[in-house]
Amino acid sequence: MKLYIADGNPHCIKVLAALDLTGVKCDIETVSHEEKVVPHLSHPVLPVLLLPGGQHLFSPNSICQYLFDVSGQAATDATNQWLEWEATHLQPAVLQSLHMVALQGKRAEAAAVMKEPLNWLEQNLSKKNTPFLIAEAVSVADVVLWAALYPLISDSGFDAGELRTVHGWFDRVGDLAACQTAAHKVLHGKGVEALKTFLQKHPVTHHRDSPTNNTEAEDAEHVMTVEEIEEAAQVWSAGLKGSPASTERKHPILPQEGKRNVLLTSALPYVNNVPHLGNIIGCVLSADVFARYGRLRGWNLLFVCGTDEYGTATENKAREEGLTPQEICDKYHAIHAAIYQWFQIDFDFFGRTTTERQTEIAQDIFWRLHERDFLLEDTVEQLRCESCQRFLADRFVEGECPHCRYPEARGDQCDKCGRLINAVELRNPQCKVCKQTPVIRSSKHLFLNLPKLEDELEQWLNKSTSAGDWTGNAKHITRSWLRDGLKPRCITRDLQWGTPVPHEDFKEKVFYVWFDAPIGYLSITANYTDQWEKWWKNPQQVELYNFMAKDNVPFHSVVFPCSLLGAQDNYTLVNHLIATEYLNYEDTKFSKSRGVGVFGDMAKDTGIPSDVWRFYLLYLRPEGQDSAFSWSDMALKNNSELLNNLGNFINRAGMFVSKFFDGHVPEMLLNEDDKRLIAQVCWELKQYIQLLDKVRIRDALKCILNISRHGNQYIQVNEPWKKIKGGDGDRQRAGTVTGVSVNVACLLSAVLEPYMPTVSHTIREQLQAPPTCAGAMLQAAGTFICTLPAGHRIGTVSPLFQKLENEQIEALRKRFGGQQPEEESVKAKTPSSSSAAVETKPSAGAAQDASLNVNADPERAKQLTALVTEQGIKVRGLKTQKAEKSIIDEEVKKLLELKKQLSLAEGKNPEPAAQKGKKK
């Protein structure tokens, strides 16, 4: 191994200290700041650890963690949480402070920036009975945090304040020879002066998590001009005068002249199953946030959705449960509606597709396509299951993809390579209902002539994608369909449960669900209002937003638009197509049958409020790439972002008013610090609006958390709890800080409304905020105004959030982690011997497991454990440094292969089904 470092790079202190402490053998080479050590990165980055296999680690924390791992000191949840806090909270503040000290000589301002993280560290350390962060001995967390703080705290001119516990811990870690040597090797005894070259080449960053889109440098520190600060303060002081009155929703909502008329849909959830968290965030929750935001902005907005109820899956589910298809639809429609109500999804109308309106509108579009010669007849070969006595719908046949050999490809599309498939092309096909091999039979069907509509579709797509907000994956998936050339698409099926085809020659058939289901948007709107055509045949006045997961894109961007274009009836087509990637569960996929993951009807039973579920799902919304739900991360975000950041600020602001000023907002005389805070908050509000206007929901949420961070820092610097005990000047200052803070809390109630509606309402109730405040501040480009003037009386203030304890989280992780199959449980209790295996005649899977246990290789497993750890750290480092997606994907592929080899070496079945009982 080889470690590359640079003089004067503060990140190198931690890796050198970790290397010395762990005793890992490694060469060290000092290079210049401009040295490009990692070939696949576009910019130089140091420190870098070159591993024996030729891979590079270039995240300082990952390098430290790797060194401790290979020395036998494995990571724990506690160390991981400290490392994440250091990377996301402490490090941005440290770098901003170092710039102030080393390049600007502003030590007092730097101390103010560091006050919040240092106080938080003080509070946490003071609760511990151990000399170090985790235990009696130094851990990787101690090294990383100490090294981050060393350049500042060791600077004689920097006043960190009276933080006795922090200073005691800092001195204990600093007494270690490894830490002293590392600091001297990097700084050469020159202190912060040694960092100037490094800091000049690395501009300071704003306190913000990196945005998902790199097209805008919005994570850069926004420097406030004097004019900007004064303007923000003047606007703020003007208050609510002349603000528009809030309007109640009156149904039916119809397009209005002179208004921005927004029609918003989320992909219709299929009725025969219970939606899991990934389904909820991909469609209805994302759409709900945008709908609530649009209403606050004063748009004339209609939000419709409903259950998609036709098709083979419903027929099959009905047969399983001994019900009719209509009865199964009635049952699951009610389940879906109850789940979305608990998650506070605020539809204007939630309907369904098994209605007379659906039949009427679908058949009308069919006849218009038929009359205009956009339909073809053809005889096709289909798979028929003789055991089930039915033709198999695409999603009820499974086999090996003819293109990429993926073994679980569906009859219409391969989820791995994304290619379209005709079911008869599948290798080794199986009926998903009875597992029998189907046979090929011929049947006459109708096709939508997509090639004939391709030119018109291209013209419309070019206009829509350039003028509207289409997500990158939506554009890419759509273009990939067009690149290969469109082919006729079958719109009929040999089924019974569906919208009947009205043509005499096809009266025994129904419409294929992907022709029929999107028409559900129209029929659901028609069931909401007889004047539905004012929304759906009015493209000049109406903007249409579609929300969905990426697998639904081609049917909304190609198939459905072609149906409407071919019908030639002035239909409203999608202007903004918003598609998410996938949300996974921990390190696997959601599976109802295996009991893996949280499904909509289970979230309520966890005891965690729906607003917290909404917050966390939106925090990790898979906008640019797949993301994964994690119980430990949910607890961390709840306890740090909601409890310690957002809730802490709002509660303190309100409590100061109640405790110090008898529940009345005090008089506010603004000085430069107050005006600067108001300008910072106003800037974050404008960013929030710009991002949400572009449907960047996750990034906009970070703006809310930034506002409360600014507020917490403002309170910590000004210490109103101390000044209230002083003379008249100090008491006046305490009043101003309290009044400004409680107004920031009121703004937070407004911007939280789309994300956490109950919490938003609770804040406004506690503050007795005027009903017009939210709409007033979210109009136009965004305006932060004084909505709670001096003398305003607030209500009773109480905490907004509760801590999620480790015991609670571990119990939930275990509960939703899946159950071992019964035969595996029995096998685990049975002595492992060849005679026992023969007598009990285990299933094929159990026999395979028994064979694997015999072939376990403990020594090989030990080697592979280290390799898995190494590769995992590398993947995390690549993601942190935003390497190219193809490079990340390749390294993830290697990680999965190593995990598979590790399972084999441990005597376990590497297939996913064998990991149902896996404990973390």
Side-chain angles (χ1 to χ4, degrees):
M1 288 195 299
K2 191 169 188 178
L3 179 64
Y4 295 89
I5 64 168
D7 287 339
N9 182 330
H11 302 305
C12 294
I13 299 174
K14 60 180 71 170
V15 297
L16 286 170
L19 183 64
D20 197 345
L21 276 170
T22 56
V24 175
K25 293 182 179 179
C26 179
D27 295 329
I28 301 173
E29 182 176 339
T30 302
V31 297
S32 72
H33 294 287
E34 293 81 12
E35 191 83 23
K36 192 175 176 184
V37 179
V38 186
H40 57 74
L41 290 182
S42 59
H43 58 281
V45 60
L46 291 167
V48 172
L49 182 64
L50 176 62
L51 301 175
Q55 303 99 332
H56 297 86
L57 292 183
F58 43 85
S59 161
N61 288 8
S62 295
I63 295 173
C64 294
Q65 184 66 74
Y66 174 78
L67 294 171
F68 272 80
D69 282 343
V70 296
S71 71
Q73 302 174 62
T76 65
D77 283 346
T79 54
N80 287 337
Q81 287 182 15
W82 277 113
L83 293 182
E84 178 167 350
W85 179 78
E86 190 275 343
T88 58
H89 292 76
L90 180 62
Q91 193 57 240
V94 165
L95 287 177
Q96 185 177 348
S97 300
L98 286 174
H99 272 81
M100 290 176 169
V101 172
L103 303 181
Q104 302 168 20
K106 297 180 178 179
R107 284 175 167 77
E109 290 85 347
V113 170
M114 289 301 299
K115 198 158 192 175
E116 182 187 347
L118 285 175
N119 281 341
W120 191 86
L121 182 59
E122 174 76 12
Q123 291 167 16
N124 278 270
L125 282 170
S126 62
K127 296 174 186 176
K128 298 183 178 297
N129 297 319
T130 57
F132 299 103
L133 290 175
I134 309 297
E136 297 295 325
V138 167
S139 70
V140 63
D142 293 286
V143 173
V144 167
L145 266 69
W146 177 88
L149 291 169
Y150 177 81
L152 282 174
I153 294 184
S154 62
D155 180 66
S156 58
F158 181 82
D159 182 11
E162 295 183 13
L163 304 169
R164 295 181 183 178
T165 313
V166 168
H167 285 299
W169 161 82
F170 183 82
D171 291 342
R172 279 190 292 277
V173 180
D175 285 341
L176 298 170
C179 293
Q180 294 175 10
T181 304
H184 189 270
K185 187 172 182 65
V186 174
L187 303 180
H188 302 288
K190 298 177 183 177
V192 292
E193 288 295 314
L195 305 179
K196 281 189 174 180
T197 303
F198 170 84
L199 294 171
Q200 287 165 350
K201 294 181 181 298
H202 294 79
V204 67
T205 56
H206 192 49
H207 288 206
R208 178 190 298 279
D209 293 337
S210 296
T212 49
N213 283 353
N214 293 325
T215 55
E216 299 175 36
E218 63 207 24
D219 57 338
E221 171 76 2
H222 179 68
V223 179
M224 297 287 170
T225 64
V226 174
E227 294 77 15
E228 192 175 0
I229 292 171
E230 282 301 322
E231 182 185 359
Q234 287 176 16
V235 171
W236 182 83
S237 299
L240 268 172
K241 297 174 184 177
S243 60
S246 57
T247 55
E248 292 287 327
R249 263 188 284 174
K250 293 181 181 178
H251 296 286
I253 300 168
L254 297 173
Q256 298 176 26
E257 286 286 345
K259 284 264 195 175
R260 183 179 182 185
N261 299 300
V262 174
L263 176 57
L264 196 154
T265 72
S266 60
L268 306 182
Y270 200 65
V271 79
N272 80 319
N273 54 34
V274 178
H276 57 64
L277 297 180
N279 303 137
I280 290 168
I281 184 59
C283 301
V284 295
L285 179 53
S286 294
D288 180 67
V289 171
F290 193 69
R292 288 175 178 273
Y293 169 73
R295 292 179 190 126
L296 284 172
R297 295 275 279 155
W299 304 341
N300 184 48
L301 183 145
L302 179 67
F303 178 21
V304 296
C305 188
T307 42
D308 174 11
E309 302 189 350
Y310 283 130
T312 307
T314 303
E315 278 192 70
N316 188 58
K317 189 74 170 180
R319 190 190 315 153
E320 287 177 11
E321 298 195 16
L323 301 171
T324 66
Q326 188 62 62
E327 288 171 338
I328 209 76
C329 290
D330 293 343
K331 172 184 173 180
Y332 279 93
H333 174 81
I335 290 172
H336 277 259
I339 289 169
Y340 302 139
Q341 184 177 9
W342 187 80
F343 273 96
Q344 304 177 76
I345 311 300
D346 192 14
F347 302 114
D348 289 303
F349 188 73
F350 184 71
R352 54 201 306 186
T353 57
T354 51
T355 65
E356 291 181 10
R357 283 292 207 176
Q358 176 73 11
T359 301
E360 173 191 323
I361 296 172
Q363 290 183 347
D364 175 66
I365 291 173
F366 163 78
W367 279 123
R368 294 184 70 89
L369 290 167
H370 188 274
E371 290 162 3
R372 287 155 182 76
D373 200 26
F374 288 118
L375 298 181
L376 302 171
E377 291 184 16
D378 200 0
T379 299
V380 299
E381 293 184 326
Q382 291 179 246
L383 293 177
R384 178 179 172 84
C385 179
E386 297 297 345
S387 174
C388 296
Q389 286 294 296
R390 63 171 57 209
F391 284 99
L392 296 179
D394 295 337
R395 292 181 181 242
F396 276 79
V397 59
E398 197 171 77
E400 186 180 293
C401 174
H403 306 292
C404 71
R405 304 295 180 88
Y406 177 59
E408 297 176 8
R410 300 195 310 264
D412 59 346
Q413 189 173 354
C414 174
D415 282 341
K416 185 175 181 183
C417 69
R419 301 277 290 271
L420 294 180
I421 300 170
N422 286 324
V424 292
E425 297 174 341
L426 289 171
R427 301 179 182 184
N428 305 316
Q430 268 192 346
C431 170
K432 289 188 71 175
V433 178
C434 67
K435 305 302 180 187
Q436 297 298 309
T437 301
V439 295
I440 297 176
R441 293 284 184 268
S442 295
S443 180
K444 189 168 73 169
H445 283 278
L446 284 165
F447 288 74
L448 179 62
N449 192 349
L450 293 178
K452 191 173 181 180
L453 288 156
E454 189 165 354
D455 288 344
E456 191 176 352
L457 178 73
E458 282 255 31
Q459 291 175 23
W460 164 74
L461 274 172
N462 289 335
K463 182 180 177 181
S464 181
T465 55
S466 59
D469 291 314
W470 285 52
T471 52
N473 55 359
K475 292 179 183 178
H476 175 75
I477 292 168
T478 302
R479 290 300 171 193
S480 68
W481 270 54
L482 291 168
R483 184 179 59 243
D484 298 334
L486 297 182
K487 298 175 178 59
R489 185 84 178 171
C490 190
I491 66 166
T492 55
R493 281 293 181 268
D494 289 294
L495 305 174
Q496 297 174 340
W497 184 243
T499 301
V501 178
H503 196 290
E504 182 64 25
D505 295 345
F506 300 88
K507 60 184 179 182
E508 300 299 321
K509 301 181 191 296
V510 298
F511 288 128
Y512 172 42
V513 70
W514 272 114
F515 172 77
D516 184 64
I519 296 172
Y521 298 131
L522 283 63
S523 71
I524 288 168
T525 310
N527 279 302
Y528 166 70
T529 173
D530 289 339
Q531 301 177 71
W532 64 276
E533 292 184 349
K534 290 185 177 180
W535 284 108
W536 283 103
K537 294 185 180 180
N538 190 4
Q540 291 76 28
Q541 278 193 313
V542 173
E543 284 183 74
L544 174 58
Y545 283 80
N546 288 162
F547 284 77
M548 68 202 67
K550 64 181 178 182
D551 56 336
N552 281 335
V553 166
F555 304 102
H556 287 79
S557 65
V558 176
V559 179
F560 184 42
C562 278
S563 300
L564 298 183
L565 287 168
Q568 297 177 356
D569 202 14
N570 196 39
Y571 278 107
T572 303
L573 301 179
V574 62
N575 304 94
H576 315 274
L577 203 156
I578 315 299
T580 61
E581 300 291 316
Y582 294 137
L583 176 72
N584 296 316
Y585 179 78
E586 296 280 353
D587 55 358
T588 185
K589 292 183 178 180
F590 289 87
S591 171
K592 189 79 170 178
S593 61
R594 294 191 289 125
V596 174
V598 181
F599 286 72
D601 55 349
M602 303 170 181
K604 185 177 181 180
D605 299 332
T606 63
I608 299 172
S610 66
D611 265 17
V612 175
W613 281 107
R614 285 173 64 105
F615 166 80
Y616 183 60
L617 290 173
L618 293 162
Y619 191 96
L620 50 79
R621 183 174 183 263
E623 292 184 357
Q625 60 186 21
D626 292 356
S627 60
F629 174 91
S630 160
W631 282 109
S632 58
D633 186 55
M634 183 182 191
L636 178 66
K637 297 299 185 292
N638 177 83
N639 298 344
S640 61
E641 295 291 10
L642 291 183
L643 191 63
N644 293 338
N645 177 16
L646 188 67
N648 179 55
F649 169 72
I650 293 170
N651 190 251
R652 290 170 89 189
M655 288 302 294
F656 290 158
V657 177
S658 298
K659 185 177 178 181
F660 301 150
F661 301 97
D662 195 28
H664 292 85
V665 176
E667 183 184 6
M668 292 161 275
L669 300 177
L670 304 183
N671 68 14
E672 291 307 310
D673 286 346
D674 308 319
K675 293 177 181 178
R676 185 174 291 105
L677 171 76
I678 290 167
Q680 285 177 324
V681 170
C682 189
W683 186 80
E684 292 287 356
L685 172 61
K686 292 180 187 297
Q687 294 298 301
Y688 166 93
I689 287 175
Q690 288 177 22
L691 290 166
L692 271 184
D693 277 353
K694 294 291 184 182
V695 206
R696 287 175 58 184
I697 293 171
R698 187 177 68 183
D699 288 344
L701 178 56
K702 306 296 173 61
C703 295
I704 300 174
L705 300 174
N706 286 336
I707 290 173
S708 60
R709 284 196 189 97
H710 284 309
N712 273 316
Q713 183 177 320
Y714 173 71
I715 286 176
Q716 285 302 116
V717 168
N718 287 282
E719 300 179 324
W721 63 92
K722 288 184 180 179
K723 289 186 170 58
I724 197 67
K725 300 173 184 177
D728 290 345
D730 280 349
R731 287 184 60 81
Q732 174 63 62
R733 185 74 196 126
T736 298
V737 173
T738 298
V740 171
S741 296
V742 82
N743 271 282
V744 173
C746 190
L747 170 66
L748 285 168
S749 76
V751 292
L752 274 171
E753 155 66 22
Y755 294 87
M756 306 179 79
T758 298
V759 168
S760 169
H761 177 75
T762 301
I763 298 168
R764 285 204 290 273
E765 202 170 53
Q766 290 184 7
L767 300 180
Q768 295 290 299
T772 59
C773 67
M777 290 190 281
L778 293 180
Q779 296 299 311
T783 311
F784 178 34
I785 51 182
C786 178
T787 53
L788 308 179
H792 173 87
R793 184 170 185 82
I794 69 169
T796 303
V797 176
S798 58
L800 298 168
F801 306 106
Q802 290 186 333
K803 185 178 181 181
L804 290 177
E805 302 291 350
N806 287 338
E807 298 79 8
Q808 179 186 3
I809 289 300
E810 285 307 313
L812 290 169
R813 191 203 305 276
K814 183 177 181 181
R815 174 179 166 190
F816 294 104
Q819 306 299 319
Q820 283 189 327
E822 192 173 332
E823 68 263 25
E824 286 190 21
S825 300
V826 172
K827 176 169 67 74
K829 297 174 184 176
T830 306
S832 136
S833 68
S834 57
S835 59
V838 171
E839 288 171 13
T840 56
K841 294 183 180 178
S843 66
Q848 183 185 16
D849 283 352
S851 169
L852 287 166
N853 284 328
V854 170
N855 295 325
D857 184 349
E859 188 59 36
R860 174 67 173 154
K862 186 176 179 181
Q863 297 171 357
L864 284 165
T865 299
L867 290 172
V868 166
T869 300
E870 176 182 311
Q871 187 66 13
I873 292 171
K874 181 178 181 182
V875 168
R876 288 195 293 274
L878 285 168
K879 289 180 178 179
T880 301
Q881 295 293 331
K882 299 188 180 301
E884 292 180 12
K885 189 175 186 301
S886 59
I887 295 171
I888 294 175
D889 290 344
E890 188 61 33
E891 297 305 327
V892 169
K893 187 177 177 182
K894 292 176 185 177
L895 176 61
L896 294 175
E897 181 58 32
L898 285 169
K899 287 184 175 180
K900 184 175 180 181
Q901 292 178 28
L902 175 59
S903 294
L904 289 168
E906 291 176 337
K908 299 175 184 176
N909 189 340
E911 297 304 316
Q915 297 184 21
K916 296 171 187 173
K918 185 176 179 182
K919 300 281 197 317
K920 280 201 172 185

